[in-house]
Amino acid sequence: MMSLYKGFKATSYSYQNQHLSVLLFLQLQSHHQHTLFRSVSAMGLIFGKIAVETPKYEVVKSTQDYEIRKYAPSVVAQVTYDPSLPQFKGNKDSGFMVLANYIGALGNPQNTKPEKIAMTAPVITKDTTGEKIAMTAPVVTKDGSGGDGGEAKKMVTMQFILPSVYEKAEDAPKPIDEKVEIKEEGERKYGVVKFSGVASDGVVKEKVEKLKGCLERDGYKVIGDFLLARYNPPWTIPMFRTNEVMIPVE
């Protein structure tokens, strides 16, 4: 059993987004309080159980290659930053702890009420490769290019989709950290493909290219950059993880 635990631990450290390990704690915390239930829940998370709220959506179309989903409006907390700055050490997921502090995941909530806010899934990452397309979105990370001439600066926006109890931006507690922005996301439509395993850059790129090709083949107009949705903490065995690539369409 100890060797099995070490295997899980090694998997978590090899995963490229180590901050997401906090999700394990958050999902356990929000699921059950009894020791026995916590133990069962931990095993469930290791084997891919998703124990937190996820966004509501309607499947508009389903094919063997993708789904077209229409997502309901939601409220998000987001932070935008340049991961190349020294304090972020090149880590694209550095915003995770800023948002985790806002909702009170690891201590006192860093909002003005203060009020603890339940964690949701997935965590979403948006990459931009210089192609200018409009976008939106379970945590959400978006890469954006900016700057005046020369090499474009890569910015990252990470979002937590807040629980559905917060229907308007003004319903959510006001952040203490000025870097955290609360905003409303309207109804939106995505082409989505689901996959398991580790969502490495290479795997994600391959999934995005294939999905985009399928959508364009079937007459859908892509209107934004892709999102990478990650539902599980890195302690989840890779084959049981739920990842999704999402491309906004008209």
Side-chain angles (χ1 to χ4, degrees):
M1 187 66 184
M2 181 57 71
S3 61
L4 183 61
Y5 167 76
K6 288 180 179 177
F8 293 151
K9 188 175 181 182
T11 299
S12 75
Y13 283 115
S14 65
Y15 191 46
Q16 63 179 357
N17 298 301
Q18 294 178 21
H19 282 309
L20 300 186
S21 62
V22 178
L23 283 174
L24 177 62
F25 169 77
L26 297 176
Q27 292 191 28
L28 281 176
Q29 189 181 54
S30 65
H31 195 42
H32 288 296
Q33 294 304 313
H34 191 279
T35 302
L36 175 60
F37 285 140
R38 284 206 304 269
S39 176
V40 172
S41 298
M43 290 304 294
L45 294 177
I46 288 169
F47 288 100
K49 182 178 178 61
I50 299 165
V52 295
E53 182 180 346
T54 57
K56 295 179 176 64
Y57 63 83
E58 171 191 352
V59 177
V60 177
K61 179 180 178 180
S62 182
T63 76
Q64 63 179 7
D65 296 315
Y66 60 84
E67 285 184 344
I68 299 296
R69 299 179 186 171
K70 183 166 65 175
Y71 280 81
S74 60
V75 176
V76 304
Q78 70 176 36
V79 58
T80 301
Y81 51 96
D82 180 358
S84 68
L85 294 176
Q87 61 265 43
F88 299 124
K89 301 178 180 178
N91 186 350
K92 290 172 62 177
D93 282 325
S94 295
F96 189 94
M97 297 308 294
V98 176
L99 296 175
N101 286 332
Y102 163 68
I103 67 172
L106 303 175
N108 294 326
Q110 297 301 300
N111 58 65
T112 54
K113 285 200 173 180
E115 176 178 293
K116 280 189 176 289
I117 303 170
M119 184 67 191
T120 64
V123 173
I124 301 179
T125 312
K126 177 185 173 184
D127 291 332
T128 311
T129 55
E131 213 177 0
K132 289 292 180 184
I133 349 184
M135 125 89 218
T136 150
V139 176
V140 181
T141 318
K142 307 186 290 184
D143 285 2
S145 298
D148 302 320
E151 187 176 349
K153 180 186 290 187
K154 286 285 189 178
M155 301 296 290
V156 173
T157 300
M158 177 172 279
Q159 296 178 333
F160 282 10
I161 296 180
L162 299 185
S164 55
V165 66
Y166 302 107
E167 297 182 351
K168 300 290 183 182
E170 55 265 28
D171 297 337
K174 184 178 179 180
I176 293 175
D177 190 332
E178 294 182 354
K179 294 191 296 295
V180 179
E181 177 188 3
I182 307 300
K183 59 176 291 191
E184 296 175 14
E185 297 277 343
E187 186 178 86
R188 55 235 186 254
K189 190 182 293 185
Y190 294 100
V192 182
V193 63
K194 183 180 294 186
F195 62 101
S196 59
V198 176
S200 65
D201 289 345
V203 169
V204 171
K205 181 180 179 182
E206 180 182 337
K207 298 291 183 183
V208 169
E209 290 176 351
K210 182 178 179 181
L211 175 57
K212 188 175 180 182
C214 290
L215 292 171
E216 291 175 342
R217 175 199 66 197
D218 293 345
Y220 287 99
K221 182 179 179 181
V222 173
I223 59 170
D225 298 306
F226 79 88
L227 307 175
L228 170 64
R230 296 164 292 175
Y231 286 79
N232 311 102
W235 289 3
T236 299
I237 299 171
M239 67 181 293
F240 295 116
R241 293 177 187 170
T242 300
N243 309 303
E244 293 175 339
V245 163
M246 309 167 65
I247 296 180
V249 295
E250 278 192 345

